[in-house]
Amino acid sequence: EAQVTQNPRYLITVTGKKLTVTCSQNMNHEYMSWYRQDPGLGLRQIYYSMNVEVTDKGDVPEGYKVSRKEKRNFPLILESPSPNQTSLYFCASSISAGSYNSPLHFGNGTRLTVT
Amino acid sequence: GENVEQHPSTLSVQEGDSAVIKCTYSDSASNYFPWYKQELGKRPQLIIDIRSNVGEKKDQRIAVTLNKTAKHFSLHITETQPEDSAVYFCAACDDSGGYNKLIFGAGTRLAVHP
C-alpha cells in the first residue's frame, strides 16, 4: 500500500531533550516536506526536500533540522525542543513539488508536547 | 510571496444544506488551487483541485469555482452529510517553476448537524 509513515504518533518530552520524528514513503517520490499544524494557523511548512541531499527552509524552520540521505526517508530533528514547538506535525510527499497531478500525500501526523 | 486567506473559520449547517468556503490569494502568478479535507484525528487528503485555465470543476457533491480576476476560489458542498464534517484547507501555488510551494489557508471547521 502506497503510504507515508510517520513515527511516533504521540510524543511527550521535556525542554532541551533532543528528539527525532521519522518519516518514510514507499512511492519513490522526489519531493518531501514537513508541516506543523496549529489552531487558526493552518499548515505551515518547516522544511522541504526536492530530492536526495537537497533540503531547504520553509516558512518556520527555526529550531528544526532535517536530512535527506535516502530518497524514502526525511527525518525531522529537534535538537533542543521548547514548549512553543508543541504542535501537530505532518510529513508529506509528492511526485514533484505542489503541482497538478502531483498531490501531496500526508502521513498520519505526530502530536508533540514539550513541557 | 503568496498569502491565502480562508473564510469562514467555522461553519455549521444542517444536513442536506449547502456549504460554501471561500479563499482569496495574493499572487496573480498562482495557477493551481487544491482543497484538502482533514477528518478528526486524521491526515489531510486531497478532495478536489483546479487549475487556472478552468473556471469550475465538479466531482459529485463537491465543486470548486475560480475567479482569477478577483483572485478568489471557493469550495461548494451540496446536500451535506454528517460525514462531510471535517476541517477543510484551501491552498494555492504557481506550478510553472522548478519548485512549487503550496501555501495553505488557515482552515475551515465544517460541522454538519443531522
Side-chain angles (χ1 to χ4, degrees), chain A residues 59-79:
Chain A
D59 297 314
V60 288
E62 294 78 19
Y64 304 95
K65 284 174 57 177
V66 293
S67 69
R68 188 91 183 271
K69 295 187 173 67
E70 306 162 286
K71 197 171 188 178
R72 62 183 292 126
N73 296 324
F74 191 46
L76 179 70
I77 304 154
L78 284 72
E79 294 271 4

Side-chain angles (χ1 to χ4, degrees), chain A residues 37 50 59 97-98 106 108, chain B residues 36 38 43 93 98-101:
Chain A
Q37 182 179 2
M50 297 287 283
D59 297 314
F106 285 88
N108 278 326
Chain B
Y36 284 80
Q38 184 183 27
R43 71 186 82 186
C93 83
Y99 169 59
N100 313 308
K101 183 174 180 178

Side-chain angles (χ1 to χ4, degrees), chain A residues 71-91:
Chain A
K71 197 171 188 178
R72 62 183 292 126
N73 296 324
F74 191 46
L76 179 70
I77 304 154
L78 284 72
E79 294 271 4
S80 182
S82 63
N84 65 10
Q85 293 178 298
T86 293
S87 186
L88 178 59
Y89 292 86
F90 284 101
C91 179

Side-chain angles (χ1 to χ4, degrees), chain B:
Chain B
E2 177 64 278
N3 181 52
V4 177
E5 294 193 356
Q6 184 171 347
H7 299 280
S9 56
T10 60
L11 181 58
S12 183
V13 301
Q14 289 296 126
E15 183 176 0
D17 289 349
S18 294
V20 181
I21 302 169
K22 299 180 180 178
C23 290
T24 60
Y25 61 99
S26 60
D27 188 352
S28 56
S30 288
N31 59 359
Y32 172 59
F33 308 93
W35 286 87
Y36 284 80
K37 175 184 180 182
Q38 184 183 27
E39 296 176 6
L40 187 63
K42 297 194 175 179
R43 71 186 82 186
Q45 291 190 293
L46 179 72
I47 55 171
I48 194 167
D49 55 8
I50 192 169
R51 293 205 77 199
S52 59
N53 56 349
V54 176
E56 182 177 4
K57 184 177 178 181
K58 286 184 180 179
D59 184 3
Q60 299 182 341
R61 294 185 299 107
I62 61 172
V64 57
T65 59
L66 171 65
N67 184 327
K68 281 219 72 172
T69 304
K71 289 191 281 189
H72 67 69
F73 56 111
S74 300
L75 179 71
H76 304 253
I77 307 174
T78 58
E79 300 172 25
T80 53
Q81 300 168 4
E83 51 264 39
D84 294 327
S85 296
V87 177
Y88 292 82
F89 292 100
C90 64
C93 83
D94 170 9
D95 75 350
S96 60
Y99 169 59
N100 313 308
K101 183 174 180 178
L102 267 180
I103 302 296
F104 287 89
T108 296
R109 184 174 298 278
L110 172 64
V112 180
H113 301 285

